[in-house]
Amino acid sequence: MRRLQAFVDGELQGADRIHVARHLADCASCGSEADLLRDMGDTLRRAAAVEPAPLGLAGLAGG
Amino acid sequence: MFLRVFRTLHQFRGQSTLKTWIYRIVVNQASNRRRWWRRRHISQQVALDDPATNIQPIDSRIFASPDRVLDEREIAARVRGALDTLPFDQRTVIVLREIEGLSYDEIASSLGLAVAREVAFGPGPPTAAGTTGGTYEEPRLHKGE
């Protein structure tokens, strides 16, 4: 599971990444688990929707 | 917070990236603020199963359907409730990863920790000889294995 989370997070490199990607191509169970992890991340980001910046300050943080 | 960063900028030694150094200041400030808040508002804390009356509304311009807005608010309330059950450090890691998009190394640096490679990534893949020092076992990706 930790490797799957690291894969979904884009933290696996090289052979590790290829190995997990190959496994996911053949394993529906792990594929569903990976989708669930992605959905949880999406849900967290939506839940963290922030208030828009005051009019005069909009755009300052984005560089 | 920007003022705090500006005032302490001369202390930056270049031992990490400026980005993670700033995050570290933010995390420390958040931790201090949390302790301050808990000391002063302990009696005003709301139980997790109370109606989510203090949840900030999600910008309605993003979601056209009122049903969708309601669903998103309920989900947001549940997510925040779940996050609130976590210790501060764990919650910080999740926020830095999922919301701020920091890498594992950046998070570790921001928190003054080291990434435990084996813990974070599991055992490595097989080498040409089929093993990595005898510790690798075939993919331990499934739950409960």
Side-chain angles (χ1 to χ4, degrees), chain A residues 1-26:
Chain A
M1 279 302 294
R2 289 177 188 134
R3 296 185 74 201
L4 195 54
Q5 180 69 64
F7 177 83
V8 169
D9 286 340
E11 292 278 348
L12 288 186
Q13 305 295 327
D16 264 330
R17 182 166 185 79
I18 293 169
H19 183 74
V20 175
R22 280 183 179 158
H23 179 80
L24 288 177
D26 294 331

Side-chain angles (χ1 to χ4, degrees), chain A residues 1-17 19-20 23-24 27 29-30 33 36-38 40-52 61, chain B residues 2 56-59 61-63 68 72 75-76 79-80 83 94 97-99 102-105 117-126 136-144:
Chain A
M1 279 302 294
R2 289 177 188 134
R3 296 185 74 201
L4 195 54
Q5 180 69 64
F7 177 83
V8 169
D9 286 340
E11 292 278 348
L12 288 186
Q13 305 295 327
D16 264 330
R17 182 166 185 79
H19 183 74
V20 175
H23 179 80
L24 288 177
C27 178
S29 168
C30 285
E33 203 65 36
L36 183 63
L37 292 173
R38 292 188 188 98
M40 283 199 293
D42 291 342
T43 301
L44 276 164
R45 283 181 283 281
R46 282 200 303 273
V50 293
E51 291 292 314
Chain B
F2 286 117
Q56 295 292 319
I58 292 175
D59 190 342
R61 290 171 295 183
I62 301 172
F63 308 105
R68 177 87 182 269
E72 291 290 341
I75 292 170
V79 168
R80 291 176 190 187
L83 281 175
I94 289 177
R97 169 64 228 168
E98 298 294 349
I99 297 169
L102 267 63
S103 70
Y104 289 2
D105 284 334
R117 314 305 298 186
E118 283 289 306
V119 172
F121 302 107
Y136 184 80
E137 296 174 19
E138 258 311 291
R140 298 167 69 90
L141 293 169
H142 299 275
K143 273 183 176 174

Side-chain angles (χ1 to χ4, degrees), chain B residues 2-21:
Chain B
F2 286 117
L3 194 58
R4 170 88 180 168
V5 170
F6 181 75
R7 281 177 174 163
T8 55
L9 196 57
H10 66 282
Q11 296 173 12
F12 177 60
R13 304 280 180 230
Q15 293 169 336
S16 62
T17 66
L18 184 60
K19 176 181 172 182
T20 57
W21 184 77

